[in-house]
Amino acid sequence: SMARLMRALPHFNFANNLMASLVRRLESPVDPVARAAADALREMMRDNIERSCIRDCVIMIADIVRRKGHHVRPLTLEVLLELKLSGDALLGPKDKRRAQKSDDSEEAQLEADLREARGTAVGKDEARKIATDILDKIFNIYFRLLKTGPSAAPLLPQVLAGLSRFAHLINVDFFSDMLQTVKGLLAPPAEEEGGVELGPVSRLHCILCVFRCLRNQGEAWDLDLQDFYDHLFETLGRLAWSSP
């Protein structure tokens, strides 16, 4: 009931209270309760990224990760994978107009009218700020967990899936840090350090993350990708041999 109310009326006076209650329940030790909360938040995340309530939700999840570190449930991070972040959402007004010259203005106006009727319309500058804030929080969550070390191993599949999903949006200032972190994850673990070897899917997420970053920002870096190609073919070989 709380989820339906929040979804239907995001501008409701107590919408943030309802959302905070759902976010807290993501960490419930009772699986049905946690999954019900996750399903409700996933549905909200699939909505227009311009809604400030989505930013508020991501901030709440980031606060849980800050407080609990690697003790958060994987389910909490899976909710973030439903976000609909795109490069268009981060463009400035002038860039966005250039990128959307061929858009049908009548259709765009209709969509704006619908958002206004639902009480969700925001200005272009505010929409860009919301998307930027969300992206910053997401990468803060992922980098915080990646730097936790082997203790965060149970969360790596969700973290790496998120990084590969949003990697093409990463700021160039974070790229070098991310590249070194991913290289370290792909390297054979040192037994004396208690390292954990990634599974094939997580390894592929690492490689995909790097390639997606390079697709958009590769011209700013002079990199030798041979190591990543070696990891890719090695991982594909393992998958081939493990197939029934």
Side-chain angles (χ1 to χ4, degrees):
S1 298
M2 287 193 301
R4 287 197 297 270
L5 178 58
M6 185 182 66
R7 177 69 174 82
L9 298 170
H11 52 289
F12 175 56
N13 289 344
F14 297 102
N16 264 21
N17 302 76
L18 296 176
M19 185 165 56
S21 179
L22 288 170
V23 171
R24 285 196 301 271
R25 282 164 172 76
L26 288 173
E27 293 294 308
S28 170
V30 182
D31 279 344
V33 172
R35 294 196 177 280
D39 289 344
L41 292 171
R42 281 194 189 102
E43 184 180 355
M44 185 189 71
M45 292 287 191
R46 296 187 195 110
D47 209 339
N48 193 328
I49 199 68
E50 294 177 359
R51 285 189 171 189
S52 60
C53 62
I54 296 180
R55 174 178 57 188
D56 295 338
C57 182
V58 173
I59 290 173
M60 291 176 191
I61 291 175
D63 188 56
I64 289 176
V65 173
R66 181 183 59 80
R67 288 186 287 105
K68 300 189 67 172
H70 64 276
H71 296 294
V72 298
R73 294 179 57 138
L75 186 65
T76 300
L77 300 181
E78 289 173 9
V79 170
L80 299 175
L81 297 177
E82 298 295 336
L83 284 165
K84 291 183 177 179
L85 275 171
S86 68
D88 287 343
L90 303 169
L91 291 176
K94 292 181 180 178
D95 296 329
K96 199 164 188 178
R97 281 197 295 270
R98 285 197 297 267
Q100 295 179 340
K101 282 182 180 178
S102 61
D103 278 3
D104 180 68
S105 58
E106 186 175 341
E107 183 178 346
Q109 182 60 45
L110 176 60
E111 177 62 25
D113 291 342
L114 288 172
R115 286 202 305 271
E116 185 174 0
R118 294 195 298 263
T120 61
V122 296
K124 290 181 179 180
D125 289 342
E126 177 63 15
R128 181 175 53 156
K129 185 178 186 307
I130 289 173
T132 301
D133 290 346
I134 289 172
L135 192 64
D136 286 345
K137 284 296 180 182
I138 288 173
F139 283 124
N140 282 334
I141 290 170
Y142 292 152
F143 281 119
R144 180 185 294 274
L145 291 172
L146 282 176
K147 292 181 177 181
T148 302
S151 57
L155 301 173
L156 282 180
Q158 288 75 24
V159 170
L160 294 172
L163 272 178
S164 66
R165 180 177 177 83
F166 304 119
H168 62 293
L169 301 173
I170 196 169
N171 189 298
V172 68
D173 296 331
F174 291 102
F175 181 66
S176 179
D177 191 20
M178 188 209 67
L179 189 66
Q180 293 306 315
T181 302
V182 170
K183 272 188 174 181
L185 290 170
L186 289 170
E191 292 184 8
E192 62 273 14
E193 296 178 4
V196 177
E197 185 172 11
L198 296 182
V201 174
S202 291
R203 290 173 67 85
L204 289 176
H205 276 308
C206 279
I207 298 165
L208 181 61
C209 174
V210 172
F211 287 165
R212 280 185 171 172
C213 280
L214 291 174
R215 183 179 63 187
N216 279 6
Q217 304 187 27
E219 67 278 1
W221 301 87
D222 183 18
L223 298 173
D224 181 2
L225 299 178
Q226 187 59 49
D227 286 344
F228 292 104
Y229 286 120
D230 291 342
H231 285 302
L232 174 61
F233 290 119
E234 179 189 354
T235 303
L236 292 176
R238 288 188 190 181
L239 288 172
W241 281 106
S242 63
S243 299

